[in-house]
Amino acid sequence: MSVNNLEFRGYIFNPDNRKPRMVNTEQNYWIGIVGLLFCFAILQLNKDYWDIYLIRILFTTVAIFFVIFTLWNKLAGINKKKPMKGILKGVLKINSERIEIDNQSYSLKEVHDLTIQIKSFSGQLLNKGHSPGPKRSNGTSNSISFRSNDINIDKRFSIQSEQDYYLLKDLKDEIQKKIR
């Protein structure tokens, strides 16, 4: 497939490690699990030592609440995207002739040690098993690095759609053929 006339356009991602690591549904899921374990511990103590009817009714009711609360938050996280933990600032453009980062253009003839890591796009379903957190990618785990005119460039960027993801994969293949 020839991609000579096509261009990828993405946004530069600037990480900010001060942003929270969990989204609310993930935090609430773990709160529900801890609450459920606490209720089971109290119910077991009541069964073994106290046998008080009111404690059994109260903590059984609270345990049922925590089961519903936990399941609700597990299901609510299924269609959420991972939090960004940073901002999108700046534009990255890649075509078969040049790479442009924030209006600074680099001809592929002047680029050395080019590495483009294409890992995800925004909304991509993640295989996280039984994790309670978001199940969709935010598309910011991609990176580009190269050297041009003795300057090292290393940027993370966002891919906004599945179509852009596959376009960039095709462009990467064509660029690698050109610079070999």
Side-chain angles (χ1 to χ4, degrees), residues 10-118:
Y11 297 98
I12 303 297
F13 175 67
N14 297 301
D16 182 358
N17 292 330
R18 296 174 294 169
K19 298 272 183 169
R21 295 194 181 275
M22 283 192 217
V23 293
N24 288 341
T25 55
E26 191 173 10
Q27 289 171 339
N28 290 343
Y29 173 85
W30 290 113
I31 289 169
I33 292 292
V34 169
L36 196 56
L37 292 173
F38 176 75
C39 287
F40 286 149
I42 295 295
L43 286 170
Q44 190 62 42
L45 286 172
N46 185 48
K47 179 181 170 190
D48 292 344
Y49 300 108
W50 308 315
D51 200 24
I52 300 172
Y53 178 75
L54 183 60
I55 289 178
R56 186 171 61 234
I57 294 299
L58 177 67
F59 280 94
T60 301
T61 304
V62 173
I64 291 169
F65 166 78
F66 276 122
V67 166
I68 293 168
F69 181 77
T70 302
L71 288 174
W72 177 266
N73 283 288
K74 171 83 170 167
L75 293 174
I78 287 176
N79 211 25
K80 291 210 185 238
K81 289 183 186 176
K82 286 174 52 177
M84 274 221 196
K85 298 182 217 166
I87 58 171
L88 298 177
K89 187 175 182 182
V91 176
L92 168 70
K93 295 179 185 176
I94 302 173
N95 62 40
S96 60
E97 301 297 323
R98 49 193 337 93
I99 298 169
E100 188 176 318
I101 300 174
D102 287 335
N103 296 321
Q104 179 69 39
S105 188
Y106 305 94
S107 171
L108 287 180
K109 294 173 185 170
E110 301 167 353
V111 168
H112 304 283
D113 304 325
L114 176 65
T115 303
I116 302 174
Q117 292 185 341
I118 306 168

Side-chain angles (χ1 to χ4, degrees), residues 141-153:
S141 59
N142 310 293
S143 65
I144 184 168
S145 62
F146 59 91
R147 190 171 39 83
S148 178
N149 298 326
D150 294 326
I151 298 173
N152 290 327
I153 309 292

Side-chain angles (χ1 to χ4, degrees), residues 116-166:
I116 302 174
Q117 292 185 341
I118 306 168
K119 294 183 178 179
S120 66
F121 59 87
S122 182
Q124 179 180 13
L125 193 59
L126 301 172
N127 184 8
K128 290 181 73 176
H130 298 293
S131 169
K135 301 290 186 195
R136 299 203 175 268
S137 171
N138 57 27
T140 60
S141 59
N142 310 293
S143 65
I144 184 168
S145 62
F146 59 91
R147 190 171 39 83
S148 178
N149 298 326
D150 294 326
I151 298 173
N152 290 327
I153 309 292
D154 190 11
K155 300 285 184 183
R156 285 182 57 189
F157 63 94
S158 171
I159 299 177
Q160 296 298 308
S161 70
E162 185 174 6
Q163 182 180 356
D164 287 343
Y165 177 83
Y166 289 111

